């Protein structure tokens, strides 16, 4: 009898520790907030069903293996929790199945992972240590149990899950249709059940391509055709025959433009360059889990990235009709320069699908410990070494340069520091302006080299930020930097990134219309005098009829009057909360995300006249 009680206690101990640990992570690591006791109860009970169901499986194994299986299950749950915690600290998001396919990125993000680990993370595995200790002391011996025990545990797990789903549905009707809100799903389903549901979603999206046909493209065609606008006559074709130089500034947000630290400008070159260029100060990044690769996808295709994973990884072999392919017909040679591994974000495969002629990756550069930091080659030597290829490119060319130095965790060499750090006490935020300043200097020197080689006056230079650098996890520090509380409204404002378009012979002008990365493709094509081709959700930034709104991948919306974020409507100018109905027309525009997602999942461009033969 004593032995039976001891064995039964082992199940309770394991389940109890996993349950409490998960709830602790919800509150401390994921910062999942609740507004009433029902939501708190959901948060408390949602780990139990998956924990009990998994531990019940222990009794399907022979008695001699049950200790080991119990520890393995506990380890799997702990790894899932910790992996999500690391991912959440960096991306303020939860892992999805497509993210797991990005394994070729893992080796290059070591610094970012290390920056998100802390000594106290040992708490994630404290229960495993205790279980191992108890096992060694002989307190976790498993005995044979009747099937009735297994059934009782399974029934209990099902009842808890049913209660969980019932309460969740009462608090958030149609919960399972809100697949775009992963925090809401985790809060209501629990981390473990969320991952099971994510597997279901993955199987559904994988089947869409097989079930798609040419009828599915009709609605997308009609929508984008209705949305198209007339180009700006004064600028249409002004770049015809000129080189297009795109500079992607890693993790650069708009708030650094014009900002100073102790009287020193963070972006002195860009501040001056803006004066002789078109500057868009309400330009938003619209990336999702694919970050830089998502920004490239947006800009080259005028399609939205996917809500789960990176298009570059999951749909690289789809049919596309991107800018490089289009301008090839007009005599342009297209190329990308990037001082990192060619397979990072699956670029070496995806660039072929987009129609690029050449990709200069790390094998084309001299990289060693003296000129490498974070993910790859520092920006200054990157631009310096790139010039030996640029000056010999076939003209006109379309060249994209992807910078790296200003990447999380924003490490820098002492000799590269040209500006003081912020003083918030948050090392990630504090280092950020130093690496931004370094990139600014590197771009300045690159532009000077373009002048020296006679390329500057015959090139359109487009400089843009690819995505945010400082996530919501650092809102307290950002509140100190900006001297204001970071509300959901302010968080959307922080998603603005710089966009500078320099056209030789044109005077500088700041344009404050709301816009996003999805608008760059039609803008570039119109500057080149190329008539709109293919399906595109963006509109020409210079057009008088430009659609004055931006949809972010998290389903936030910015219009000329309102900002919709976190299911709340704000007045765009004052930032004050207004009636939710004020954003009803703006929310109707969210259909763009569904149409774009369907196009990618179904590979619908293969049914158009633009499909490659």
């Amino acid at each position: 009898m004593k032995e039976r009680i001891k064995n039964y206690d082992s199940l309770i101990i394991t389940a109890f520790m996993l349950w409490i640990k998960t709830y602790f992570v919800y509150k401390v690591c994921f910062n999942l907030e609740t507004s009433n006791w029902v939501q708190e109860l959901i948060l408390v009970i949602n780990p139990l069903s998956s924990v009990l169901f998994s531990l019940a499986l222990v009794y399907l194994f022979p008695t001699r293996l049950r200790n080991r299986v119990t520890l393995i299950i506990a380890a799997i749950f702990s790894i899932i929790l910790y992996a999500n915690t690391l991912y959440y600290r960096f991306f303020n998001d939860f892992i999805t199945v497509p993210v797991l396919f990005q394994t070729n990125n893992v080796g290059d993000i070591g610094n970012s992972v290390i920056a998100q680990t802390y000594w106290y993370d040992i708490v994630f595995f404290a229960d495993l240590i205790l279980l191992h200790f108890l096992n060694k002391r002989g307190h976790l011996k498993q005995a044979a149990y009747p099937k009735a025990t297994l059934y009782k545990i399974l029934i209990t797990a099902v009842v808890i899950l049913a209660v969980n789903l019932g309460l969740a549905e009462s608090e958030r009707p149609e919960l399972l249709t809100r697949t775009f809100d992963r925090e809401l799903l985790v809060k209501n389903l629990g981390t473990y059940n969320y991952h099971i549901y994510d597997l279901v979603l993955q199987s559904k999206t994988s089947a869409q391509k097989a079930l798609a046909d040419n009828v599915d493209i009709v609605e997308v065609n009609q929508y984008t055709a209705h949305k198209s606008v007339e180009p700006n006559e004064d600028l249409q074709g002004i770049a015809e025959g000129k080189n297009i130089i795109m500079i992607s500034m890693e993790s650069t947000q708009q708030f650094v433009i014009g900002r100073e630290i102790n009287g020193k400008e963070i972006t002195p070159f860009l501040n001056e360059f803006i004066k002789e260029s078109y500057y868009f100060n309400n330009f938003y990044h619209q990336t999702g889990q694919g970050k830089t690769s998502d920004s490239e996808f947006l800009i080259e295709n005028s399609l939205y990235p996917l809500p789960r994973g990176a298009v570059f990884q999951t749909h690289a072999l789809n049919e596309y009709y991107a800018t490089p392919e289009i301008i090839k017909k007009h005599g342009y040679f297209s190329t990308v320069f990037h001082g990192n591994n060619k397979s990072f974000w699956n670029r070496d495969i995806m660039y072929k699908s987009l129609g690029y002629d050449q990709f200069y990756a790390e094998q084309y550069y001299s990289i060693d410990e003296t000129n490498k930091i974070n993910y790859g080659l520092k920006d200054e030597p990157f631009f310096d070494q790139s010039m030996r290829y640029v000056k010999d490119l076939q003209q006109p060319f379309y060249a994209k340069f992807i910078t790296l130095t200003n990447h999380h965790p924003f490490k820098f060499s002492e000799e590269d520091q040209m500006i003081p750090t912020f003083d918030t006490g948050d090392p990630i935020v504090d280092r950020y302006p130093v690496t931004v300043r370094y990139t600014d200097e590197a771009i300045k020197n690159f532009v000077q080299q373009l002048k020296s080689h006679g390329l500057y006056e015959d090139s359109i230079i487009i400089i843009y930020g690819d995505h945010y650098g400082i996530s919501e996890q650092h809102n307290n520090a950002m509140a100190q930097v900006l001297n204001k509380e970071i509300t959901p409204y302010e968080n959307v404002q922080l998603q603005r990134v710089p966009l500078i378009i320099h056209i030789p012979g044109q005077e500088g002008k700041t344009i404050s219309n709301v816009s996003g990365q999805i608008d760059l493709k039609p803008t570039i094509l119109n500057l080149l005098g190329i008539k709109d081709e293919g399906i595109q959700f963006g509109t020409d930034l210079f057009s008088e009829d430009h659609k004055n709104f931006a949809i972010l991948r998290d389903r936030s919306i910015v219009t000329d009057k309102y900002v919709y974020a976190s299911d709340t409507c704000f007045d765009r100018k004052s930032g004050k909360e207004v009636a939710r109905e004020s954003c009803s027309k703006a929310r109707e525009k969210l259909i763009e995300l569904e149409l774009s997602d369907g196009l990618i999942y179904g590979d619908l461009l293969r049914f158009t006249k633009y499909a490659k033969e």
Side-chain angles (χ1 to χ4, degrees), residues 472 475-476 478-479 482-495 556 563 565-566 568 570-571 574-577:
E472 293 177 54
N475 276 356
N476 289 337
M478 284 304 300
L482 302 178
N483 198 28
K484 63 175 75 171
E485 180 186 359
I486 309 301
T487 62
Y489 166 82
E490 291 295 344
N491 182 62
V492 170
Q493 300 307 98
L494 283 171
Q495 307 316 306
S556 297
V563 171
S566 299
T568 306
F570 301 90
D571 178 82
S574 68
K576 294 181 179 178
E577 186 174 338

Side-chain angles (χ1 to χ4, degrees), residues 42-277:
I42 292 170
L43 209 60
V44 170
I45 67 173
N46 69 37
L48 273 175
S49 60
S50 45
V51 167
L52 289 177
F53 180 82
S54 299
L55 288 175
L57 299 179
V58 170
Y59 296 102
L60 297 177
F61 291 85
T63 303
R64 60 186 176 80
L65 295 178
R66 289 178 184 171
N67 284 358
R68 189 175 301 171
V69 175
T70 299
L71 286 170
I72 290 173
I73 290 174
I76 290 172
F77 275 70
S78 298
I79 291 170
I80 290 172
L81 266 185
Y82 190 52
N84 275 284
T85 299
L86 291 176
Y87 193 81
Y88 193 86
R89 286 171 180 172
F90 189 20
F91 295 111
N92 207 57
D93 198 358
F94 297 94
I95 294 172
T96 61
V97 173
V99 167
L100 300 178
F101 290 108
Q102 297 166 194
T103 52
N104 58 338
N105 290 1
V106 173
D108 294 295
I109 61 175
N111 286 332
S112 291
V113 172
I114 292 171
Q116 301 300 339
T117 57
Y118 304 97
W119 66 268
Y120 49 77
D121 287 351
I122 189 66
V123 73
F124 283 89
F125 305 100
D127 57 329
L128 295 179
I129 296 171
L130 178 59
L131 287 171
H132 180 70
F133 173 77
L134 292 174
N135 183 46
K136 287 292 185 181
R137 297 293 298 269
H139 296 302
L140 288 180
K141 291 181 180 179
Q142 299 286 357
Y145 280 91
K147 288 184 178 180
T149 303
L150 173 61
Y151 294 150
K152 287 177 183 178
I153 297 173
L154 291 175
I155 291 171
T156 301
V158 171
V159 169
I160 292 174
L161 178 61
V163 171
N164 181 177
L165 290 176
L167 292 173
E169 188 66 19
S170 69
E171 284 293 303
R172 173 60 73 179
E174 300 181 343
L175 170 68
L176 298 183
T177 66
R178 298 177 66 85
T179 58
F180 53 85
D181 193 339
R182 283 181 283 276
E183 182 167 309
L184 186 69
L185 291 174
V186 169
K187 186 185 294 185
N188 286 279
L189 299 180
T191 303
Y192 314 118
N193 291 333
Y194 152 74
H195 283 298
I196 294 172
Y197 184 55
D198 188 53
L199 282 169
V200 174
L201 292 177
Q202 179 65 19
S203 65
K204 288 174 64 177
T205 55
S206 298
Q208 279 187 243
K209 182 172 181 177
L211 299 174
D213 60 34
N214 56 3
V215 176
D216 297 324
I217 195 69
V218 174
E219 185 181 4
V220 184
N221 261 322
Q222 292 175 342
Y223 182 90
T224 54
H226 178 72
K227 187 181 177 182
S228 64
V229 299
E230 290 297 317
N232 182 312
E233 292 183 1
D234 294 334
L235 293 177
Q236 186 179 26
I238 196 170
E240 184 175 358
K242 291 186 180 294
N243 304 313
I244 302 293
I245 295 175
M246 306 269 289
I247 300 176
S248 171
M249 295 190 297
E250 173 65 42
S251 301
T252 305
Q253 294 171 244
Q254 195 262 351
F255 78 88
V256 298
I257 302 296
R259 187 172 294 275
E260 297 182 354
I261 302 178
N262 297 340
K264 293 186 176 182
E265 295 175 296
I266 298 176
T267 56
F269 171 71
L270 293 180
N271 295 343
E272 289 300 312
F273 198 59
I274 284 169
K275 296 176 182 178
E276 55 189 65
S277 309

Side-chain angles (χ1 to χ4, degrees), residues 430-594:
D430 289 350
R431 291 194 295 262
Y432 183 68
V434 178
T435 49
V436 172
R437 176 67 183 87
Y438 175 86
T439 298
D440 177 84
E441 188 72 12
I443 294 174
K444 169 189 170 183
N445 295 337
F446 177 60
V447 169
Q448 185 57 52
Q449 290 185 67
L450 291 174
K451 293 178 179 179
S452 300
H453 287 89
L455 295 171
Y456 181 77
E457 292 298 332
D458 206 29
S459 300
I460 306 297
I461 300 175
I462 301 173
I463 305 174
Y464 65 92
D466 61 353
H467 55 78
Y468 68 78
I470 308 296
S471 75
E472 293 177 54
Q473 291 295 300
H474 305 278
N475 276 356
N476 289 337
M478 284 304 300
Q480 296 179 53
V481 172
L482 302 178
N483 198 28
K484 63 175 75 171
E485 180 186 359
I486 309 301
T487 62
Y489 166 82
E490 291 295 344
N491 182 62
V492 170
Q493 300 307 98
L494 283 171
Q495 307 316 306
R496 290 180 294 177
V497 293
L499 173 63
I500 304 166
I501 300 179
H502 178 81
I503 304 174
Q506 294 287 306
E507 295 182 359
K509 182 180 180 181
T510 295
I511 298 176
S512 297
N513 292 339
V514 176
S515 56
Q517 292 168 328
I518 206 159
D519 297 313
L520 261 179
K521 177 186 175 183
T523 302
I524 292 170
L525 293 180
N526 283 328
L527 289 175
L528 292 173
I530 299 173
K531 186 179 179 181
D532 287 354
E533 295 192 44
I535 290 173
Q536 47 194 23
F537 285 90
T539 57
D540 179 13
L541 290 166
F542 293 110
S543 172
E544 295 180 2
D545 300 319
H546 168 71
K547 306 301 182 183
N548 202 19
F549 74 90
I551 301 173
L552 279 58
R553 186 61 259 193
D554 68 356
R555 299 176 74 88
S556 297
I557 308 166
V558 185
T559 71
D560 55 341
K561 295 181 180 179
Y562 301 108
V563 171
Y564 179 71
S566 299
D567 214 21
T568 306
C569 191
F570 301 90
D571 178 82
R572 181 169 163 254
K573 290 185 178 179
S574 68
K576 294 181 179 178
E577 186 174 338
V578 297
R580 190 173 183 273
E581 292 72 26
S582 300
C583 287
S584 57
K585 287 188 177 180
R587 293 201 306 275
E588 292 175 2
K589 299 181 186 298
L590 290 172
I591 190 176
E592 290 197 8
L593 296 179
E594 279 73 43

Side-chain angles (χ1 to χ4, degrees), residues 217 221 319 321 535 604-612:
I217 195 69
N221 261 322
E319 186 71 45
Y321 196 54
I535 290 173
L604 300 184
L605 288 178
R606 62 193 160 123
F607 300 121
T608 68
K609 65 180 181 180
Y610 307 110
K612 303 176 187 68

